[in-house]
Amino acid sequence: MKKLLVALFLGFCVVGHSQNNSIGNSDPDAKKILDEVSKKIKSYKGIQATFTLKIEDSKGDPQGSKKGTLYTKGNKYRVNITGQEIYCDGKNVWTYDKSSNEVTITKFDPTMNTMTPQKLLSNFYDKDFLYKYNGEQKLGNKTVQEIEMTPVDKTKNFYKIYIYIDKAKKTVYSGKMLDKTGNRYLYTIESLNGNAPVTDALFVFDKAKYPGVEVVDLNE
């Protein structure tokens, strides 16, 4: 689950243009939709979102489910999910594991091809993906637009991502990542507040609030 969170929430770097490579070209219809979503999300001052994360095996059988909360502002983010908390103040990333009462500190590198929450919600198309529009479908009472994304780098541990855009709201509603082991990771955004009162302190891990926590600082 920890690796999944890093994969989902620490990796969509944006370069807003179609790609030309040996795999093919990105779909201009998909880019138009993604540009609209990006513009909408970038207009938000602070985001608070709740989400559900589910895992299925290759047969579609459920392997686990967790609920979480996401906060973002600028290049800062925080993810709270059962058993784990991730903080980023734009300079450092703190990953706290509740079961071991341990926090690991690493440097935040915005140049890495990883999926930050902001990019998950808005800038999820870049030079490392080919993307195409697969049309509309119904998910519950919502009409969504499916965008299929294929990584150019075939060494990645996943081979396909599907993003589902709420057509009416022009925001990401859900997504699905398929990894090379056959597992499927599905997330659904249950609620999204684009004007949440988030403060800078929210994105910094305060060890005083975690008595006895072991700190592993990989920056030293």
Side-chain angles (χ1 to χ4, degrees):
M1 181 63 72
K2 181 176 180 179
K3 291 182 179 179
L4 167 64
L5 283 175
V6 173
L8 279 180
F9 293 116
L10 304 180
F12 286 109
C13 293
V14 62
V15 175
H17 58 270
S18 299
Q19 304 305 316
N20 295 294
N21 49 49
S22 60
I23 301 177
N25 298 325
S26 287
D27 182 354
D29 290 335
K31 183 180 187 302
K32 181 179 179 180
I33 295 170
L34 297 175
D35 284 346
E36 290 176 342
V37 175
S38 181
K39 182 179 179 181
K40 176 78 174 288
I41 294 297
K42 286 177 180 178
S43 70
Y44 293 153
K45 295 180 179 179
I47 295 174
Q48 178 179 348
T50 59
F51 63 91
T52 300
L53 184 60
K54 296 180 180 180
I55 306 175
E56 296 178 352
D57 63 17
S58 58
K59 297 179 180 179
D61 295 328
Q63 301 297 303
S65 177
K66 292 189 177 187
K67 292 184 177 295
T69 304
L70 163 69
Y71 305 88
T72 77
K73 185 174 73 170
N75 65 345
K76 303 176 177 67
Y77 63 86
R78 176 173 170 177
V79 179
N80 293 347
I81 198 166
T82 307
Q84 189 178 51
E85 299 170 11
I86 302 173
Y87 302 74
C88 177
D89 64 354
K91 297 179 181 179
N92 295 295
V93 178
W94 294 263
T95 303
Y96 173 69
D97 183 1
K98 184 177 181 180
S99 62
S100 62
N101 196 27
E102 179 182 280
V103 63
T104 303
I105 308 173
T106 56
K107 284 289 185 185
F108 172 63
D109 184 354
T111 66
M112 291 181 63
N113 295 325
T114 50
M115 300 178 187
T116 64
Q118 313 94 299
K119 292 168 185 174
L120 173 66
L121 290 170
S122 60
N123 299 334
F124 40 77
Y125 50 106
D126 73 346
K127 63 182 179 180
D128 295 324
F129 288 93
L130 290 174
Y131 42 87
K132 68 176 182 177
Y133 177 45
N134 287 341
E136 297 181 4
Q137 58 180 274
K138 280 285 190 179
L139 289 180
N141 61 352
K142 295 181 183 294
T143 298
V144 299
Q145 299 167 303
E146 181 183 278
I147 307 294
E148 178 181 338
M149 303 178 64
T150 304
V152 174
D153 182 357
K154 297 306 179 183
T155 66
K156 291 185 181 296
N157 61 359
F158 61 91
Y159 65 91
K160 195 76 72 175
I161 294 176
Y162 294 91
I163 301 290
Y164 300 92
I165 308 299
D166 186 321
K167 183 179 179 180
K169 295 182 178 179
K170 299 187 185 303
T171 58
V172 177
Y173 170 65
S174 63
K176 176 170 59 178
M177 183 176 73
L178 311 181
D179 75 14
K180 292 179 179 177
T181 68
N183 289 332
R184 308 167 188 170
Y185 301 94
L186 306 94
Y187 67 87
T188 302
I189 297 176
E190 308 290 352
S191 67
L192 177 65
N193 178 4
N195 295 298
V198 294
T199 64
D200 289 343
L202 189 68
F203 305 105
V204 178
F205 180 81
D206 184 356
K207 67 178 183 179
K209 296 179 180 180
Y210 300 82
V213 63
E214 181 179 353
V215 179
V216 179
D217 192 345
L218 299 181
N219 296 331
E220 295 181 345

